């Protein structure tokens, strides 16, 4: 017995993922847990001949503002704080609305899902910036920049929320008005 194919596009037909919401919740909670140390511990460890400093995400934003780089500070704040928290809220909202079989605004929920999927592609920009800075600024004893433990935690948080979004079966949004199968 082979897999059935779509008569229109000849692609394989795939059934609903029975465990989709369990996977979404597991990945989402893991992402939220990893986000905590990403904001508590230092993202960058900077050493010069004179001093050694550690910067958290929010601490780095504050330093950028103090040095007059308000635009860059805004980008870092949006990419590192606003977007991840927004993704947590959006994925959690989608999972809750599907679990409660809400029929309200299915189209808007689908658009929210597409937005989360799109933003997920750009979520690793902070980690790339830290990696590039670490690679470029290595003057041995004069100055070095190294990633802190928060960089790893932030990367894990991003990966986990991306997996949560990918685990979400968007077709469940449209199934809200159907009776559950036993």
């Amino acid at each position: 017995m082979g897999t059935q194919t779509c008569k229109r596009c000849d692609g394989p037909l795939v059934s609903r993922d029975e465990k989709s919401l369990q996977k979404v919740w597991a990945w989402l909670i893991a992402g939220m847990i990893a986000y905590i140390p990403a904001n508590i511990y230092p993202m960058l460890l900077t050493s010069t001949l004179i001093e050694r400093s550690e910067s958290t995400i929010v601490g780095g934003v504050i330093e950028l503002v103090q040095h007059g780089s308000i635009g860059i500070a805004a980008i870092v704040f949006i990419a590192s704080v606003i977007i991840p928290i927004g993704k947590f809220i959006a994925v959690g909202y989608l999972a809750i609305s599907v679990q409660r079989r809400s029929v309200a605004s299915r189209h808007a929920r689908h658009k929210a899902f597409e937005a989360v999927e799109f933003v997920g592609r750009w979520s690793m920009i902070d980690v790339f910036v830290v990696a590039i800075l670490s690679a470029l600024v290595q003057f041995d004893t004069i100055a070095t920049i190294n990633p802190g433990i928060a960089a790893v935690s932030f990367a894990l948080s991003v990966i986990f929320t991306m997996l949560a979004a990918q685990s979400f079966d968007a077709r469940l949004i449209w199934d809200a008005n159907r009776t559950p199968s036993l």
Side-chain angles (χ1 to χ4, degrees):
M1 181 179 224
T3 60
Q4 294 181 345
T5 57
C6 175
K7 292 177 183 174
R8 185 172 191 188
C9 69
D10 205 31
L13 296 178
V14 181
S15 182
R16 305 289 194 265
D17 185 359
E18 300 280 329
K19 306 233 185 278
S20 174
L21 290 177
Q22 290 175 345
K23 293 175 191 174
V24 169
W25 283 116
W27 288 122
L28 183 62
I29 290 168
M32 292 167 69
I33 290 170
Y35 189 69
I36 294 169
N39 284 286
I40 294 174
Y41 294 109
M43 179 68 86
L44 282 177
L45 307 168
T46 308
S47 300
T48 64
L49 286 173
I50 302 168
E51 67 179 320
R52 184 177 195 283
S53 65
E54 300 176 347
S55 297
T56 62
I57 293 172
V58 175
V61 170
I62 292 169
E63 285 184 37
L64 286 168
V65 169
Q66 289 172 345
H67 291 300
S69 300
I70 296 172
I72 295 172
I75 291 170
V76 170
F77 184 73
I78 290 168
S80 302
V81 178
I82 301 294
I83 289 176
I85 291 173
K87 282 174 59 177
F88 295 144
I89 292 168
V91 173
Y93 166 73
L94 289 170
I96 289 170
S97 67
V98 166
Q99 280 180 321
R100 293 186 177 173
R101 305 188 74 70
S102 173
V103 293
S105 188
R106 287 179 285 199
H107 183 70
R109 285 187 286 149
H110 189 74
K111 288 292 184 190
F113 173 74
E114 288 178 347
V116 167
E117 283 278 302
F118 175 78
V119 168
R121 298 179 191 135
W122 298 97
S123 298
M124 291 294 275
I125 196 164
D126 298 26
V127 178
F128 292 139
V129 169
V130 169
I132 289 169
L133 275 175
S134 298
L136 292 178
V137 183
Q138 296 297 328
F139 299 121
D140 293 327
T141 56
I142 299 171
T144 60
I145 295 178
N146 293 311
I149 190 68
V152 174
S153 296
F154 191 82
L156 286 173
S157 178
V158 169
I159 290 167
F160 292 156
T161 54
M162 287 172 64
L163 288 169
Q166 288 179 346
S167 297
F168 186 81
D169 188 350
R171 296 173 295 182
L172 296 174
I173 293 171
W174 304 100
D175 292 345
N177 62 346
R178 295 191 330 176
T179 58
S181 59
L182 299 174

